[in-house]
Amino acid sequence: VSDDRALATLDDDSTVAARRVVAADGVRGAARLAVVAKAKRERRQTDRAPGQSHLDAAPALQHFVSVAFESRELADRLRDRPAMLYFVFNAATVAVVVAHDFRKGIFNLQVPFFPPAERPGDAAAPVAVRNAVAALTTTPLRDVAISSARPWLMRARLDDFFACSDVGFLAGDAAHEMPPSGGLGLNTAVGDAHNLAWKLALANRGGVDAAALLATYETERRPVL
């Protein structure tokens, strides 16, 4: 990201140049890192409150293993009590089951683990994942098919900047992370896009002070997140 354009290298090694770029590629995305680096060079200071950590230094609120699995038998057992979320508390586990598709028996399991006593690799190991799924029911499920298990961490994070000059912009998780409860991540990402899209269109059309208009994206969005 330079003063007047952004360059992107695609998967096929071709290069695309653009007058402006919106980084919506998550907290570890290459586009986000490029925009943040440019913003830091431009502004040299942050408005971070003393003692308050955000950006990549934000601590984990909780660690989880996300398990994608299928079980038509589990779907049949729950058919009389349909819901999107099932909170499981018993002597063997504390977990949340997300029902994605009752017809196909597609579920997602969220199981917490607790570093440093537990390591991500151990918590997501096949034997630990099988035990976590087995702990959901008193009567074993006979048709469980586990497709993936990945550790992740829940954070609340707010970037110091949402833009660098009028070239690069952050949106969605690239600008702010939050716990998934209530769909806040998706809804605030839509809010970012709603605020920014028409401004980009108007700036590209011409006839306005593009820099001043696009600067309002950060001043309007960041304070409300």
Side-chain angles (χ1 to χ4, degrees), residues 10-204:
L10 306 183
D11 291 340
D12 62 359
D13 292 328
S14 62
T15 301
V16 175
R19 175 64 181 85
R20 298 181 175 90
V21 62
V22 179
D25 53 348
V27 64
R28 297 179 181 85
R32 172 193 174 263
L33 295 176
V35 171
V36 168
K38 179 71 163 57
K40 286 181 176 179
R41 292 195 301 270
E42 288 178 349
R43 308 195 198 187
R44 299 185 182 277
Q45 293 182 344
T46 74
D47 60 354
R48 181 179 302 181
Q52 298 297 314
S53 62
H54 42 244
L55 280 172
D56 300 328
L61 301 177
Q62 179 63 63
H63 294 262
F64 291 94
V65 174
S66 178
V67 181
F69 72 98
E70 295 183 23
S71 173
R72 291 183 182 271
E73 184 178 351
L74 179 59
D76 290 339
R77 295 187 193 183
L78 297 173
R79 205 166 299 280
D80 292 335
R81 295 175 293 167
M84 186 183 74
L85 298 176
Y86 295 87
F87 295 87
V88 182
F89 301 89
N90 60 41
T93 190
V94 174
V96 178
V97 176
V98 185
H100 287 302
D101 191 330
F102 275 102
R103 294 171 301 172
K104 298 179 180 179
I106 299 176
F107 297 92
N108 182 273
L109 170 64
Q110 299 293 326
V111 185
F113 67 96
F114 303 93
E118 297 175 286
R119 298 178 298 181
D122 295 336
V127 63
V129 171
R130 288 195 297 269
N131 289 339
V133 175
L136 298 175
T137 59
T138 54
T139 304
L141 298 168
R142 296 164 293 181
D143 65 341
V144 171
I146 297 171
S147 56
S148 68
R150 296 184 176 90
W152 65 282
L153 59 87
M154 178 192 294
R155 296 196 304 180
R157 179 193 62 83
L158 182 67
D159 261 298
D160 289 314
F161 316 112
F162 278 21
C164 60
S165 61
D166 67 339
V167 178
F169 305 86
L170 304 181
D173 284 355
H176 44 79
E177 285 181 281
M178 54 194 67
S181 303
L184 295 175
L186 173 60
N187 282 284
T188 54
V190 171
D192 294 344
H194 179 270
N195 184 285
L196 183 58
W198 69 269
K199 295 175 181 177
L200 287 171
L202 194 58
N204 290 338

